[in-house]
Every structure is written in C-alpha cells, then in structure tokens.
Amino acid sequence: MSIMEEASFMPSSPLFSTLVRDAIMNPPSKKSMWFLENRVPTLGEVRSKIILFSRFGGTGEGWEGGTNGVGIHPTRWPNNQREGFEWDLEKTRVRTQDWYGIPSFLNIPEKFAVAVEMLLPCPAPNGKDDLSITFMSAARVPFALPSTVACGFGWSALNLGVEGVNSRVGRWLLEQLGGDDDQDIASDGLQQTIKPLENKPGCSQVTLVKSMSNLEKLAIVDDDSRKEPRLRGWVLMDFLLNPYELGVVPLLIECNWRGRVDGEEGWRS
C-alpha cells in the first residue's frame, strides 16, 4: 500500500506520519497485518500481509526502528521527473518512473512509452537486484484529467478520439507476450490483425480485444532459439478495470510466469 500526503509539494508533516502510525497500530488494524521493514521481502514473508510503501515520515521519527520500521521508504523522490530516477534499497536498485504532470492528453503516447519502458530488463550494476516501479497514471487540469489519461475518450479505433494509457498498455503486453511465432498476435502480426479490424465500420477497441483475449494464445513455444519476454516491476495505475474486456490485470499477472530462470525469484523448475 503506497501512502503519501497529497496536496502538498512540501515534505510531509509530522502529524501525518503520526496519524498513519496510529491507524496501523490501533484497532481495527494491528501491527501483525503489516510488513513494516525497509527492504524487499520474499513472498512467503508477506502472505496475508500489507506491505507499506511510505512516501512520508522523513527520518521515521516516532516509528519503531526509525526509517527501518516505516515500511519501504524511498531515499529520494524528485517531483514530476519525466526520465525517471533511481534509489537504493539495501541490495536492490529501484528504478522509478512517476511523470504525472503531462501537459495535455496529446502527451498520452509519450507517457505510455516512458511508463512501459521501465518494465523492460535493465541489469543493475555490481550484481545488485533490480526493482522497477512505474506509474501509468498522470493528471493535469484541465487538459489531462486522470480519467482521460487512463481511459482516453471517443472512439480511438476509428480515429475519432484518443486512446488512453490503459488500453495502450494492454495492447503492448499482448505484443510482448505473444511471441514472434504466434500467427495471431505476433509483433508484426499484431499490427496486421489490428488494422483490418480498425477499418471495419462500428469496430471498437473492445471488439478487437475480444477477438484475441484468450490467454492460451499467449503460449510460448519451448524452443532454445527463443527466450521468453521478461517483464518485471510494480505497476500503479488508475481505473485498472477500464477497459474491462482488455484484461490488463491478468496480462500483468501473466508476466510473473514468463522469463523465469532457475535460482532467481525463488523459482525452481
């Protein structure tokens, strides 16, 4: 759970940190429900727990263990930095993209591009583990409302509107997971499949997705000559069920099963 003090470009107040701590420690919550250490845990450590991602608290004053007891606690968070930034979390390099203040809806393609780029492999130096955090959301009033950025507007498949970030992410994941040999949704074939559908009167993005939404189509051929895509990271997005038929969430979950290597991520074949 990511928590920060909104509506403020100043460091969060001590009062805010105190109120969050009290809400976590006192009923109906309780400390045992939370993972409050400042490190990346294993899945076994956090089953049935909430991982606190704290973008508040400063030095951790008032928390047991200070900054080591206020959850995953970034050491830096530049405001609205388009190209992203990095920070260290023990032995993990964390690459982060939180470019939220896009000028207008015309920048949706650019926002989408920098957001998904963060999910691509980028080995960390010195043998460190690597973690990516990318925000698909953005907003600026009045020309880039959160719903407009996430969902778009109009009928973009008919060139009568703008396609939102969520739909673009779904189409990109289909392309990445489809593999070169899949005749239905290969990297080149995806574009060939999309264009005829877009040219049909009355065809929408939903119609397009329904025609290829079956995850069985994403099966990767077991062939030593080709590697599975390896897409990893924490994805934060608005209106995650829109468009519902696209199934962005199942596609993101599917990424956990692709590109696994023996001895990494707790995976054993």
Side-chain angles (χ1 to χ4, degrees):
M1 179 184 290
S2 176
I3 300 179
M4 65 173 291
E5 187 172 4
E6 291 282 6
S8 174
F9 295 101
M10 302 296 290
S12 62
S13 65
L15 176 60
F16 182 82
S17 181
T18 299
L19 292 173
V20 174
R21 183 198 63 203
D22 291 348
I24 288 175
M25 300 298 179
N26 299 316
S29 178
K30 55 183 178 180
K31 184 179 179 181
S32 60
M33 294 172 54
W34 296 80
F35 180 83
L36 299 176
E37 296 181 41
N38 189 21
R39 62 180 178 86
V40 178
T42 64
L43 182 60
E45 289 178 300
V46 293
R47 289 191 187 277
S48 302
K49 291 191 175 185
I50 303 168
I51 302 172
L52 177 60
F53 183 49
S54 61
R55 293 171 58 190
F56 67 90
T59 60
E61 183 178 356
W63 291 75
E64 183 181 345
T67 54
N68 290 320
V70 67
I72 295 177
H73 195 59
T75 55
R76 59 190 294 262
W77 201 280
N79 183 50
N80 199 36
Q81 190 165 302
R82 180 197 176 282
E83 60 272 20
F85 56 95
E86 298 181 0
W87 47 283
D88 290 325
L89 180 59
E90 288 195 332
K91 297 180 180 180
T92 301
R93 178 192 66 171
V94 184
R95 298 186 298 129
T96 307
Q97 179 280 135
D98 186 23
W99 181 40
Y100 65 87
I102 65 174
S104 79
F105 62 83
L106 297 176
N107 297 93
I108 287 176
E110 187 180 1
K111 167 64 183 181
F112 153 73
V114 298
V116 297
E117 183 181 8
M118 197 62 66
L119 298 176
L120 297 173
C122 182
N126 304 321
K128 284 189 174 184
D129 293 329
D130 185 66
L131 171 64
S132 296
I133 300 175
T134 187
F135 287 74
M136 302 296 175
S137 56
R140 176 165 289 183
V141 178
F143 299 116
L145 298 176
S147 57
T148 301
V149 175
C151 309
F153 61 87
W155 299 271
S156 59
L158 299 175
N159 295 321
L160 297 173
V162 174
E163 185 178 15
V165 170
N166 293 4
S167 178
R168 293 171 187 268
V169 170
R171 290 156 64 94
W172 180 80
L173 288 171
L174 283 170
E175 184 176 355
Q176 296 296 314
L177 298 176
D180 295 336
D181 296 335
D182 191 304
Q183 296 301 314
D184 291 321
I185 52 174
S187 295
D188 294 329
L190 178 64
Q191 298 302 324
Q192 296 171 4
T193 304
I194 290 171
K195 289 178 181 178
L197 285 171
E198 287 179 341
N199 291 333
K200 290 183 180 179
C203 179
S204 65
Q205 293 170 233
V206 172
T207 307
L208 168 64
V209 172
K210 282 184 177 178
S211 70
M212 59 174 70
S213 61
N214 193 341
L215 282 179
E216 279 76 16
K217 290 183 179 180
L218 300 179
I220 295 292
V221 177
D222 186 12
D223 186 343
D224 291 338
S225 65
R226 193 178 75 197
K227 294 183 179 179
E228 289 186 331
R230 184 183 177 88
L231 308 174
R232 296 292 187 271
W234 296 356
V235 176
L236 295 90
M237 62 193 308
D238 287 338
F239 305 95
L240 75 166
L241 295 181
N242 191 310
Y244 177 78
E245 291 82 355
L246 188 56
V248 175
V249 174
L251 289 171
L252 288 169
I253 293 173
E254 178 69 15
C255 291
N256 291 298
W257 301 94
R258 302 301 183 95
R260 285 189 165 187
V261 179
D262 261 2
E264 295 185 10
E265 304 173 319
W267 172 255
R268 294 291 185 275
S269 59

